[in-house]
Amino acid sequence: MSAARATGRGPLRYGPGTPAPVLAPPGPLTAACADGARRTAAEPAGGGAPLREAAAGYWARRGLAVSPEAVVAAPSGAVLLLALLAAVGGDLLLPGPRPAWWAPQAGLLGHRVFTVPAPVDCGGVPDPYALLETVRRVRGEGGDPRLLVLSVADDPTGTVPPPELLHATVEAAAEAGLGLVSDESLRDLVHPGTATVLVSPAEMAPDRVTVLADLAGALLPPSWPAAVARFPDTGPGRDLRAGVLDVLMASGGLLTGPSAAAAALALGEPAPVADWVAASARLYARLAVRAYTLVRAAGALALPPAAGRCLYVDMDPLRPVLAAHGVRDAQELEEFLSRHAEVPAAGGHRFGDPLGALRARLTLPAGGLEPALARLALP
């Protein structure tokens, strides 16, 4: 066993799980899941018609028209991304930092992953100039970059990229001949009052962008996993969807009846579900502002929170103080926060940042954050 594995630095099983909702799901959603448990027939590969029709309606209400025949459902975003990568092939480009579940899917397939730094003022998308330079370098070395995954409501940074930056990145990807996957799992948890308007890359390049949404944590509890993807309504888009369905069928990536029933109801957005999601977004916004205020007052760094259920913290300015407590890297920072304050934290190395950087994702509510900071005896 390697030293990294022995200390828990490397194995995926030590990584962050999907945060549970801060509010209990509404009764109609629970009833739909229970009703789905009475079904005995298996869901077809890619999801049944009611679920795909509900997903099409969900995207249409957000300005992304799509036919139900261009939708695919799967047990999770990770399963969908794995099927997408298997169907597309080639090397994968990701912004850094990025969600912890993106890169491992490429690793399972033996595909190489190249990280492109995000701009300093937001996460979720790579810097467009760095993207073009990375593609040029990788191809010059004999690589085959084919796909870029980005996020418009980012985990882990909790930010929403400005539309002008997103547009420049989409144009750079098109110039480089890359396919695009837009992870929009957290778009419904954009915090009220956020100045930046969320725009989907599929609005800018509908023929090039596949939209992916993992419903766990935003529209469904993680214990009822489901995800949907929207494919371009073009020849290549239909071919890609067929390839993804082949992978899902071959790997048994099929939804359960309870999850499919709950997902169909959630995507239909009846009033109880819409009210629950809106209330969750308001609560996450308040929790994020509180956590942000605490870490900034302590001298640490973080981008102002705009979406989601996490805060990404850079504690490098506190390095001398943390070193006195035996904290010298992201893994030790994760352990310190988890041990002394029971803060749901994951080191930045799990999101593609260097192990030596003192960064961590704090899952909201970070109720133990104040005692953890007090323990440091900051001046």
Side-chain angles (χ1 to χ4, degrees):
M1 180 182 293
S2 69
R5 185 169 293 275
T7 57
R9 294 176 190 268
L12 187 61
R13 64 180 179 274
Y14 291 104
T18 302
V22 287
L23 300 175
L29 204 55
T30 303
C33 185
D35 184 64
R38 299 185 181 94
R39 301 179 185 176
T40 56
E43 280 287 300
L51 174 54
R52 290 185 288 105
E53 289 167 2
Y58 168 87
W59 275 308
R61 290 188 294 276
R62 286 153 181 80
L64 298 174
V66 62
S67 163
E69 284 69 40
V71 174
V72 166
S76 70
V79 171
L80 259 180
L81 183 58
L82 181 69
L84 270 163
L85 296 176
V88 172
D91 300 327
L92 177 64
L93 296 164
L94 301 176
R98 70 286 184 122
W101 56 274
W102 285 1
Q105 313 311 315
L108 287 172
L109 297 168
H111 297 182
R112 295 189 301 172
V113 175
F114 295 92
T115 299
V116 186
V120 296
D121 55 350
C122 73
V125 299
D127 177 271
Y129 300 103
L131 175 63
L132 290 173
E133 175 57 25
T134 301
V135 171
R136 184 199 63 77
R137 175 178 56 82
V138 172
R139 286 180 176 152
E141 295 171 354
D144 184 22
R146 297 188 191 178
L147 196 65
L148 168 67
V149 183
L150 49 77
S151 176
V152 293
D154 186 45
D155 172 3
T157 65
T159 59
V160 176
E164 59 272 17
L165 171 64
L166 184 63
H167 187 266
T169 301
V170 170
E171 286 196 330
E175 180 181 337
L178 300 173
L180 274 167
V181 174
S182 177
D183 179 3
E184 301 184 9
S185 302
L186 297 179
R187 70 172 297 158
D188 294 308
L189 294 183
V190 171
H191 300 164
T194 296
T196 304
V197 177
L198 186 149
V199 179
S200 172
E203 297 177 59
M204 303 174 179
D207 293 345
R208 298 185 63 86
V209 179
T210 298
V211 179
L212 183 153
D214 192 321
L215 308 184
L219 291 176
L220 293 176
S223 55
W224 312 341
V228 288
R230 171 193 181 277
F231 291 83
D233 190 16
T234 62
R238 288 187 285 274
D239 290 343
L240 177 57
R241 180 180 183 272
V244 166
L245 286 173
D246 287 343
V247 176
L248 292 176
M249 193 66 191
S251 61
L254 309 179
L255 274 170
T256 65
S259 291
L265 180 72
L267 289 165
E269 298 181 290
V273 172
D275 292 346
W276 173 60
V277 173
S280 297
R282 291 193 298 270
L283 181 53
Y284 280 126
R286 294 197 295 271
L287 294 169
V289 168
R290 173 62 176 162
Y292 175 77
T293 302
L294 285 172
V295 300
R296 294 293 287 142
L301 303 174
L303 292 171
R309 53 215 173 191
C310 303
L311 186 73
Y312 202 58
V313 180
D314 184 349
M315 291 192 169
D316 197 74
L318 306 179
R319 185 176 290 274
V321 180
L322 287 164
H325 292 266
V327 177
R328 295 169 296 274
D329 63 24
Q331 176 66 36
E332 291 168 347
L333 177 62
E334 176 184 298
E335 293 168 355
F336 174 85
L337 293 171
S338 301
R339 182 170 64 249
H340 292 300
E342 298 182 357
V343 176
H349 59 304
R350 306 196 186 279
F351 307 98
D353 270 337
L355 177 63
L358 291 178
R359 297 173 191 148
R361 188 193 76 172
L362 307 181
T363 301
L364 303 172
L369 181 58
E370 198 162 10
L373 293 172
R375 184 181 180 86
L376 295 175
L378 299 169

